[in-house]
Amino acid sequence: MHSVNSANIPSPVNTPRHVAIIMDGNGRWAKQRHMPRTVGHAKGAAGVRDLVKACADQGVGYLTLFAFSTENWQRPSDEVSTLMGLFVQYLEKEMKAMQAEGVRLQVLGDISAFPHELQQRIEVAQNATVHNHTITLNVAANYGGRWDIVQAVQRWALANPGASAQHLTEQDLAQHLSTAGMPEVDLLIRTGGESRISNFLLWQVAYAELYFTDVLWPDFDTQQLARALAWFANRERRFGTVPT
């Protein structure tokens, strides 16, 4: 686990443009309290608004949350159902707050597998917030990094019929990723004590700083976020070059 000596928020010049978070530990949080795993998911979802606002206040332009992976369909059906329901509730409850605080919502992933009602609510929320500019909140749902790269290649091929893949550049492919037009991830945070990326934004985290914490997601509050941002501010980012 990375630790810092101070929880001071960094100055804007050292603030990451794009923060991504793997929200891990909801089930264990609930188990520690002898509660169903679904209670942990609900508790974890409840803290998202404060974290989005804290990121916006510090000048973070993009926040991407890993809400539901392509592998999560293998979980028990009642847990999957609860996650779908929480997503619907979030969209219902948070629309006014997102509008008031200038949050643009985008959902990354293949939403065609979701219930029709959820697909409709996602479309409505995205359209309603499309002109908000304070911060973009990306919710990665039914998302996988490998899926993202494959679908980007497929989109490129459709946009360039007959073209040889020999002419495909990194810049070309980036334009067809689910995060097209966004900066790459500067800071990747994973809660819950695990130290792996778990098929999340594989292309986009190529030069991200990786921050792993033992704190379970429901306990990851704005103070924990401040520690992560302070740690990031002290990193020397070289992008393959030598130290200055």
Side-chain angles (χ1 to χ4, degrees):
M1 181 181 75
H2 299 302
S3 61
V4 293
N5 295 323
S6 171
N8 293 332
I9 303 266
S11 64
V13 70
N14 293 323
T15 298
R17 297 172 302 166
H18 189 167
V19 174
I21 305 179
I22 300 174
M23 306 180 294
D24 196 13
N26 290 332
R28 280 171 286 157
W29 183 91
K31 185 177 181 180
Q32 289 174 1
R33 291 158 178 79
H34 308 288
M35 297 176 177
R37 288 174 57 86
T38 52
V39 174
H41 291 305
K43 176 66 175 176
V48 169
R49 181 193 291 186
D50 288 344
L51 290 172
V52 174
K53 188 177 188 304
C55 282
D57 288 345
Q58 295 307 313
V60 174
Y62 298 83
L63 174 63
T64 302
L65 303 179
F66 203 7
F68 191 86
S69 75
T70 51
E71 292 76 27
N72 285 159
W73 293 108
Q74 302 173 39
R75 293 188 176 189
S77 58
D78 61 333
E79 185 172 346
V80 171
S81 179
T82 296
L83 289 169
M84 296 296 109
L86 284 172
F87 202 173
V88 171
Q89 291 177 28
Y90 181 82
L91 294 175
E92 287 178 343
K93 294 180 180 179
E94 297 301 319
M95 280 301 301
K96 288 185 179 179
M98 285 191 283
Q99 292 288 38
E101 296 169 10
V103 178
R104 179 180 182 181
L105 176 71
Q106 293 194 159
V107 177
L108 314 181
D110 180 9
I111 68 170
S112 65
F114 291 155
H116 183 64
E117 178 192 7
L118 179 53
Q119 293 184 47
Q120 286 186 315
R121 290 184 181 275
I122 288 172
E123 183 177 0
V124 168
Q126 290 185 144
N127 290 337
T129 61
V130 69
H131 298 299
N132 293 346
H133 299 296
T134 301
I135 186 172
T136 295
L137 171 61
N138 297 317
V139 177
N142 198 22
Y143 175 90
R146 292 175 176 175
W147 165 87
D148 200 1
I149 294 170
V150 169
Q151 68 85 32
V153 173
Q154 293 170 340
R155 287 185 178 184
W156 175 85
L158 287 174
N160 299 274
S164 170
Q166 290 181 339
H167 302 299
L168 177 62
T169 66
E170 292 184 12
Q171 292 74 20
D172 292 335
L173 190 62
Q175 294 175 17
H176 296 282
L177 293 167
S178 60
T179 53
M182 305 180 198
E184 292 191 348
V185 176
D186 297 303
L187 172 62
L188 173 65
I189 299 169
R190 179 166 188 152
T191 64
E194 302 292 351
S195 303
R196 54 178 176 265
I197 297 174
S198 294
N199 195 24
F200 183 45
L201 298 174
L202 297 179
W203 180 284
Q204 297 88 340
V205 301
Y207 281 100
E209 300 296 322
L210 308 180
Y211 180 92
F212 303 109
T213 174
D214 290 334
V215 176
L216 302 177
W217 175 247
D219 293 327
F220 190 87
D221 55 16
T222 55
Q223 184 178 12
Q224 295 294 334
L225 175 67
R227 292 193 177 103
L229 293 177
W231 175 86
F232 175 86
N234 289 316
R235 298 293 297 165
E236 181 181 7
R237 307 187 72 203
R238 299 195 290 269
F239 301 97
T241 65
V242 296
T244 56

